[in-house]
């Protein structure tokens, strides 16, 4: 009987073995080349995949470039919220890019990372809330398999969930299960039907990899989905609200910060 082939993405993985290539070493060289001082980014950082929130903050004169961020591939800005300095990195789309930036943020002073991404609706929620707290994500991308074995689910940390869980009617978010894909233009009818059967609420491109990274590296990562579309099946899709949803997203971030205000930053 021929031996069953194993996909290279899950073959020969040794999850306890450290990487030779380290984010802190890359940033060391970036600081040297860019002549940047060695200083920390804010402890609370936000990934803004669409870039709409940052554009709004810049337009309002509320965001400034951060010169402590040495990443080759992205820019980090800061803004103030309730006397807390928050970092924001725009246009971080896709699992591998999100985790690349997350790795570098956590060795640069970040202690809690919040991702707020746009998402397509798979099973329409019974409530009208537009923000979903992703508690589990289906691992249909490649990056997570470099951090966790295939049988381990990509889930929100239980401590963080306990702090963020809010069943009240006035809560800005609801608990949800997402499907993380790195091939959005292969969201076929059959794959959508399968995800509907698996009680998936939405589809996005980062959460499962970010949660796998967080679990493997013991980092605080929280993924939210802003339900904005039904995969453009009808004209007029992808509407996010006032200022492309930025006003509501700021309310969301303020609510998260209030829930986590007593977390030990270390």
């Amino acid at each position: 009987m021929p031996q069953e082939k194993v996909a290279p993405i899950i073959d020969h993985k040794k999850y306890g073995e450290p990487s030779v290539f380290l984010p802190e070493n890359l940033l060391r060289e970036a600081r040297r080349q860019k002549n940047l001082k060695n200083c920390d980014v804010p402890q609370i950082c936000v990934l803004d995949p669409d870039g709409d929130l940052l554009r709004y903050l810049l337009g309002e004169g509320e965001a400034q470039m951060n010169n402590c961020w040495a990443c080759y591939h992205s820019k980090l800005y800061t803004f103030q919220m309730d006397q807390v300095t928050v970092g924001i990195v725009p246009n971080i789309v896709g699992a591998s890019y999100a985790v690349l930036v997350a790795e570098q943020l956590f060795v640069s002073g970040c202690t809690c990372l919040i991702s707020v991404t746009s998402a397509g609706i798979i099973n329409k929620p019974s409530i009208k809330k537009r923000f979903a707290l992703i508690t589990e994500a289906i691992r249909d991308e490649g990056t997570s398999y470099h951090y966790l074995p295939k049988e381990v689910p990509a889930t929100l940390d239980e401590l963080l969930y306990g702090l963020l869980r809010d069943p009240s009617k006035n809560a800005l978010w609801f608990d949800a299960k997402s499907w993380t894909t790195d091939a959005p233009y292969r969201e076929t009818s059959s794959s959508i039907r399968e995800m509907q059967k698996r009680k998936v609420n939405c589809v996005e491109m980062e959460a499962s990899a970010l949660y796998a990274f967080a679990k493997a590296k013991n980092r605080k990562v929280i993924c939210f989905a802003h339900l904005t579309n039904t995969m453009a099946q009808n004209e007029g899709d992808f509407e996010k609200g006032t200022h492309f949803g930025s006003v509501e997203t700021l309310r969301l971030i303020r609510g998260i910060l209030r829930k986590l205000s007593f977390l030990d930053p270390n």
Side-chain angles (χ1 to χ4, degrees), residues 10-144:
I10 58 174
D11 198 15
H12 302 299
K13 294 291 185 291
K14 299 186 184 297
Y15 292 99
E17 185 176 355
S19 176
V20 172
F21 187 32
L22 299 175
E24 52 264 49
N25 292 350
L26 175 71
L27 294 174
R28 178 196 64 212
E29 298 307 310
R31 290 188 190 96
R32 176 182 60 81
Q33 292 179 342
K34 297 180 180 183
N35 194 28
L36 297 176
K37 60 181 180 179
N38 190 355
C39 52
D40 287 344
V41 303
Q43 292 185 350
I44 303 292
C45 289
V46 174
L47 296 183
D48 175 27
D50 291 348
D52 292 324
L53 178 57
L54 176 63
R55 281 188 288 273
Y56 172 75
L57 291 169
L58 289 172
E60 295 293 307
E62 295 181 8
Q64 300 80 37
M65 179 81 76
N66 182 279
N67 293 321
C68 295
W69 182 232
C71 178
Y72 284 113
H73 313 96
S74 62
K75 295 180 180 179
L76 184 143
Y77 297 77
T78 60
F79 65 98
Q80 297 297 123
M81 176 167 282
D82 296 343
Q83 300 172 336
V84 174
T85 301
V86 180
I88 180 169
V89 188
N91 306 121
I92 307 301
V93 177
S96 60
Y97 192 16
V99 171
L100 179 147
V101 169
E103 285 268 23
Q104 295 180 51
L105 283 169
F106 279 101
V107 299
S108 298
C110 174
T111 62
C112 183
L113 179 62
I114 303 164
S115 174
V116 186
T117 191
S118 294
I121 298 170
I122 299 297
N123 276 308
K124 189 174 182 179
S126 59
I127 54 180
K128 294 184 178 181
K129 296 173 184 176
R130 297 283 298 275
F131 289 108
L133 171 62
I134 299 174
T135 58
E136 181 181 354
I138 301 294
R139 298 171 60 185
D140 195 15
E141 40 66 44
T143 304
S144 68

Side-chain angles (χ1 to χ4, degrees), residues 234-251:
N234 299 297
E235 189 173 351
D237 211 359
F238 289 91
E239 292 301 318
K240 297 174 71 175
T242 306
H243 297 291
F244 297 95
S246 299
V247 174
E248 285 298 300
T249 301
L250 286 173
R251 285 186 62 208

